[in-house]
């Protein structure tokens, strides 16, 4: 596997030797000083070019980066679905190579670059032939830090968590596995993860990022809470799914109380009590029940 130095030398040398490429910059995890380096990090690279059409017309030029295991062209896929995609302004190649390296390479015109350069604070310039890249501060993950909740956001989160659990339970009782699993992930877990974020934010003065899709939860949660979080994932066995539901309820309750106390919000105790009793009742209903109550 080519190392970081080799990859950067290749990326920059290609740009230096191609007159169509006028500047290069990078964003993503490799620009974040708070993210530990590992072998799975992508190279999120942007080439600022004179025009995009020649790159798109003959795609053999990307072979210079190595043997491609698989690639994705998201702009082409979007256009294929009938969505708007302006190839003349920007175009992306996501490439996984046979040595394990991955480059997410986007080409864009100078006009397109000027509209977005530096908006993502995790951006650093790598090459600027014509001094066209605006001056920006050093990279920072500030934009990705957990934000403090408003009372309205807290109320919405707690209400959604307790309200939507009835759909999860209904799906289990009806033997509708895809529905119940996806309801749990798209409603219950979304609310739970939001509360986890706020709790971690409080513990760290809202100066940290929990990463995309909570990938750093393990780093910031106490071991006991992390163990509970792990157990909110279950298999296709309905009894195990019920256990995960009630563990999620317990963890959500603990974290929500802490967040409410910190911000002087009001936790919906009645919703919690009523829905917890309701869920237990549904779990214990006979299989041939003709009525809920």
């Amino acid at each position: 596997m080519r190392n970081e130095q080799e990859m950067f030398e290749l990326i920059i040398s290609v740009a230096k030797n191609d007159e169509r490429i006028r500047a290069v910059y990078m964003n993503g995890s490799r620009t974040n000083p708070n993210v530990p380096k590992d072998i799975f990090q992508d190279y999120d690279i942007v080439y600022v070019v004179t025009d995009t059409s020649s790159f798109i017309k003959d795609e053999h030029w990307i072979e210079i980066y190595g043997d491609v295991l698989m690639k994705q062209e998201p702009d082409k896929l979007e256009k294929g679905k009938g969505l708007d995609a302006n190839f003349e302004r920007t175009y992306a190649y996501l490439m996984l190579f046979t040595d394990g390296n991955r480059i997410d390479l986007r080409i864009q015109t100078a006009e397109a670059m000027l509209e977005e350069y530096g908006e993502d604070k995790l951006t650093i310039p790598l090459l600027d032939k014509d001094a066209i890249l605006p001056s920006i501060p050093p990279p920072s993950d500030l934009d990705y830090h957990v934000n403090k909740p408003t009372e309205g956001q807290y109320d919405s989160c707690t209400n959604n968590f307790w309200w939507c659990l009835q759909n999860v339970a209904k799906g289990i009782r009806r033997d509708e596995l895809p529905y119940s699993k996806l309801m749990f992930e798209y409603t219950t877990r979304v609310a739970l993860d939001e509360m986890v974020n706020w709790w971690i934010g409080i513990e760290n003065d809202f100066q940290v990022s929990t990463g995309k899709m909570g990938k750093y939860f393990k780093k910031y949660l106490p071991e006991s809470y992390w163990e509970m979080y792990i157990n909110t994932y279950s298999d296709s066995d309905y009894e195990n799914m019920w256990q995960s539901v009630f563990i999620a309820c317990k963890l959500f309750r603990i974290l929500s109380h802490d967040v409410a106390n910190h911000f002087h919000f009001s936790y919906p105790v009645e919703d919690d009590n009523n829905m917890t009793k309701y869920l237990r009742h549904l779990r214990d209903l006979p299989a041939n029940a003709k009525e809920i109550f």
Side-chain angles (χ1 to χ4, degrees):
M1 186 176 186
R2 290 165 292 176
N3 61 35
E4 185 179 67
Q5 181 179 346
E6 292 173 307
M7 292 300 293
F8 276 124
E9 287 177 353
L10 174 60
I11 290 166
I12 298 300
S13 67
V14 170
K16 285 181 176 179
N17 295 325
D18 193 326
E19 283 299 308
R20 299 172 298 173
I21 303 171
R22 307 313 302 167
V24 185
Y25 64 94
M26 179 172 66
N27 44 39
S29 65
R30 287 187 179 273
T31 71
N32 190 345
N34 296 319
V35 172
K37 292 184 180 297
D38 66 23
I39 59 174
F40 300 105
Q41 284 181 299
D42 308 335
Y43 294 86
D44 296 298
I45 303 297
V46 181
Y47 281 170
V48 182
V49 300
T50 52
D51 77 280
T52 61
S53 59
S54 60
F55 292 93
I56 300 170
K57 184 177 180 180
D58 181 10
E59 296 186 347
H60 290 294
W61 72 275
I62 65 174
E63 296 172 1
I64 194 171
Y65 298 107
D67 297 325
V68 177
L69 182 69
M70 184 175 177
K71 67 179 172 68
Q72 184 180 81
E73 298 172 58
D75 302 280
K76 180 188 288 187
L77 296 176
E78 290 291 283
K79 192 167 187 177
K81 293 189 296 183
L83 301 176
D84 184 40
N86 189 345
F87 295 179
E88 294 180 0
R89 287 174 53 82
T90 183
Y91 197 83
Y93 297 95
L94 314 184
M95 300 170 286
L96 177 64
F97 300 98
T98 55
D99 71 344
N101 276 301
R102 172 177 158 177
I103 300 177
D104 289 356
L105 177 62
R106 186 154 52 99
I107 56 174
Q108 65 178 187
T109 62
E111 292 78 11
M113 175 274 294
L114 289 172
E115 292 179 7
E116 67 177 59
Y117 185 72
E119 286 187 0
D120 183 348
K121 289 186 172 62
L122 288 175
T123 300
I124 59 172
L126 299 179
L127 177 68
D128 192 355
K129 296 178 181 178
D130 308 315
I132 59 175
L133 297 178
S135 178
I136 57 173
S140 165
D141 65 355
L142 180 63
D143 287 343
Y144 300 91
H145 287 180
V146 178
N147 293 319
K148 295 179 181 180
T150 65
E151 188 169 11
Q153 289 172 326
Y154 177 85
D155 290 344
S156 177
C157 179
T158 53
N159 185 266
N160 283 335
F161 180 87
W162 292 111
W163 173 258
C164 292
L165 277 169
Q166 62 178 302
N167 293 322
V168 178
K170 181 167 58 178
I172 295 175
R173 291 303 315 221
R174 287 174 168 171
D175 189 21
E176 297 171 342
L177 182 66
Y179 174 85
S180 56
K181 294 291 281 188
L182 290 175
M183 264 295 174
F184 185 90
E185 293 303 320
Y186 292 162
T187 61
T188 304
R189 188 170 306 285
V190 168
L192 175 61
D193 286 357
E194 194 167 32
M195 197 61 67
V196 170
N197 270 315
W198 292 333
W199 190 91
I200 291 173
I202 291 169
E203 294 295 305
N204 296 274
D205 296 323
F206 290 92
Q207 297 298 309
V208 298
S209 165
T210 58
K212 188 176 183 179
M213 299 181 180
K215 62 183 179 180
Y216 301 139
F217 281 174
K218 182 178 181 180
K219 176 181 178 180
Y220 292 111
L221 284 174
E223 185 175 349
S224 60
Y225 288 2
W226 175 244
E227 188 66 26
M228 291 173 67
Y229 187 85
I230 290 173
N231 288 318
T232 63
Y233 290 92
S234 68
D235 53 22
S236 59
D237 182 274
Y238 287 133
E239 182 56 38
N240 293 338
M241 288 176 65
W242 277 118
Q243 292 179 19
S244 293
V245 165
F246 288 113
I247 291 171
C249 290
K250 182 179 180 180
L251 180 58
F252 186 82
R253 183 180 301 116
I254 293 170
L255 301 180
S256 297
H257 274 294
D258 286 350
V259 173
N261 290 336
H262 181 84
F263 290 107
H264 306 292
F265 295 158
S266 178
Y267 178 72
V269 175
E270 185 175 1
D271 289 344
D272 181 337
N273 291 339
N274 290 342
M275 284 304 299
T276 300
K277 290 177 183 178
Y278 179 75
L279 292 170
R280 288 172 178 161
H281 180 75
L282 289 192
R283 179 194 59 186
D284 298 336
L285 270 180
N288 60 348
K290 301 299 183 182
E291 296 178 337
I292 294 177
F293 291 104

